[in-house]
Amino acid sequence: MKSLISAIALTVIAFQPGVAMSNEFVTFGASDSGGTYGVIAAAVSKVANVSDGDLNVSVEATVGGGRGNVRLLSKERLTFGLATVADAVNGYRGTGAFEDSKAENLRTVMLGPDLPFHLMVRADSDISSPADLKGKRLVSASAGNALTFVPGGLSGYGLDKDSYTITQLSGAEAVETFRDGRVDAYANFNFMPSANLSDLATSIDIRILGFDPEKLAELIKSVEMFNESTIPAGTYPGQTDDINVPGIAVGIFTTDSVSDDVVYALTKAVMESNAEMKEMHSMAGTLTKERQGRMLKAGRIIPPLHPGALRYYKEIGLN
């Protein structure tokens, strides 16, 4: 009987939310197409698995990118997942593509790279500002961009969806359509540098439209999925100046059912392995303490920050 009681007691302790479990198996949603999500997930998995032996992170090739990861997290079929802040916010609030599948259990762990607004025109175009896109033809490289992100960005200049026409194509097709002159502008929130856009800028002369500082500040204040982002000079051939635009951050998200210790362990492993992360991929290297400090200072963390992540940030003085 004493043995049975001891076994039950150990089982209860092992499954208490606040008690760390050695070498706990967790899943990490990337995407089905690999790409940048895939390399970030691989980098996170590598540093987490060799940290203190607390976690065994398995990268999952999920369907639907970040939006698919939010849906899987809401059903607790993933432990962690990559997604844009836009998809996470819409999931948490039950808006946009998530009107029928609200994910109130979603929690933020950390933010990483930005997807800056790439609004490109030909160098000889008479379009000099986003305001000049009224009545023009645009092309975008994903449904999320064409339906949500680009209209959201252009709303900063008073343009609604009826102010222009926008066509959604695949990444390569969108670039070719713009290169061939069949549209007036390429509009997409992209990781940078984009290989397709770098190739484009070597074949034709292009300009990237920036945002007026006041309009950018007002847009960020009014649309919570955006933050201030910069496409640094030299990112693309012929680009000589920094260009300030709205951006959408990509982050790591989890759910409120994941224990504080598991989230703390992953957060600590990533934050304290930045040099290794950066060696694996520049985008993985953006998951830094400084980045999280800016996130906390901005104060707009939606979905809410997971307590396990907050515990680590407080330990290193990021209040």
Side-chain angles (χ1 to χ4, degrees):
M1 178 63 73
K2 287 183 179 180
S3 298
L4 178 59
I5 292 172
S6 298
I8 293 172
L10 287 171
T11 301
V12 170
I13 291 171
F15 284 93
Q16 284 180 346
V19 178
M21 296 174 64
S22 178
N23 201 34
E24 180 157 342
F25 180 80
V26 300
T27 53
F28 194 104
S31 72
D32 55 343
S33 58
T36 305
Y37 273 25
V39 294
I40 293 174
V44 170
S45 171
K46 184 174 181 179
V47 299
N49 287 342
V50 300
S51 54
D52 293 319
D54 291 333
L55 299 178
N56 179 3
V57 180
S58 172
V59 176
E60 303 292 320
T62 54
V63 176
R67 188 170 295 180
N69 287 339
V70 170
R71 295 191 190 283
L72 290 171
L73 285 166
S74 71
K75 298 173 183 177
E76 300 191 353
R77 291 167 59 186
L78 286 174
T79 317
F80 298 97
L82 287 163
T84 65
V85 166
D87 283 331
V89 167
N90 282 333
Y92 181 73
R93 296 208 184 285
T95 54
F98 297 90
E99 288 183 354
D100 60 346
S101 54
K102 194 173 184 179
E104 291 181 293
N105 60 339
L106 211 60
R107 295 294 181 267
T108 300
V109 179
M110 65 185 73
L111 297 185
D114 268 349
L115 302 176
F117 194 9
H118 287 67
L119 196 51
M120 291 185 166
V121 297
R122 287 176 171 268
D124 59 0
S125 169
D126 60 358
I127 299 170
S128 60
S129 160
D132 298 331
L133 291 170
K134 185 174 182 178
K136 301 298 185 181
R137 300 163 300 166
L138 283 60
V139 67
S140 193
S142 75
N145 268 282
L147 298 175
T148 305
F149 304 160
V150 170
L154 294 180
S155 70
Y157 277 81
L159 300 178
D160 59 28
K161 293 181 181 180
D162 295 326
S163 301
Y164 49 85
T165 59
I166 186 166
T167 302
Q168 177 224 325
L169 299 171
S170 70
E173 288 176 319
V175 169
E176 285 305 310
T177 298
F178 174 67
R179 191 199 314 264
D180 294 345
R182 286 176 276 165
V183 293
D184 302 298
Y186 172 93
N188 212 67
F189 285 77
N190 285 81
F191 284 113
M192 63 178 177
S194 160
N196 283 337
L197 297 181
S198 294
D199 177 67
L200 171 71
T202 61
S203 62
I204 63 171
D205 293 331
I206 57 98
R207 282 186 289 110
I208 305 175
L209 304 181
F211 271 57
D212 173 82
E214 290 184 4
K215 289 189 179 296
L216 180 56
E218 186 59 35
L219 176 66
I220 292 168
K221 183 179 179 180
S222 61
V223 184
E224 57 193 1
M225 68 179 171
F226 293 136
N227 58 265
E228 185 174 344
S229 189
T230 301
I231 303 175
T235 299
Y236 297 103
Q239 181 201 341
T240 57
D241 298 315
D242 290 348
I243 300 169
N244 295 321
V245 293
I248 300 174
V250 170
I252 298 175
F253 299 91
T254 187
T255 66
D256 58 5
S257 66
V258 178
S259 78
D260 291 3
D261 289 325
V262 166
V263 176
Y264 173 89
L266 184 116
T267 305
K268 181 177 181 180
V270 172
M271 291 294 101
E272 298 185 0
S273 305
N274 184 252
E276 297 94 317
M277 297 274 290
K278 195 170 184 177
E279 283 182 6
M280 286 181 266
H281 196 278
S282 60
M283 292 294 102
T286 64
L287 295 161
T288 65
K289 296 175 184 178
E290 292 75 18
R291 178 73 163 111
Q292 311 323 311
R294 293 195 299 273
M295 169 185 73
L296 293 168
K297 185 177 180 180
R300 289 199 313 178
I301 305 171
I302 306 167
L305 197 62
H306 192 285
L310 181 60
R311 186 173 107 203
Y312 175 77
Y313 297 141
K314 283 185 174 180
E315 278 186 8
I316 62 172
L318 299 180
N319 294 318

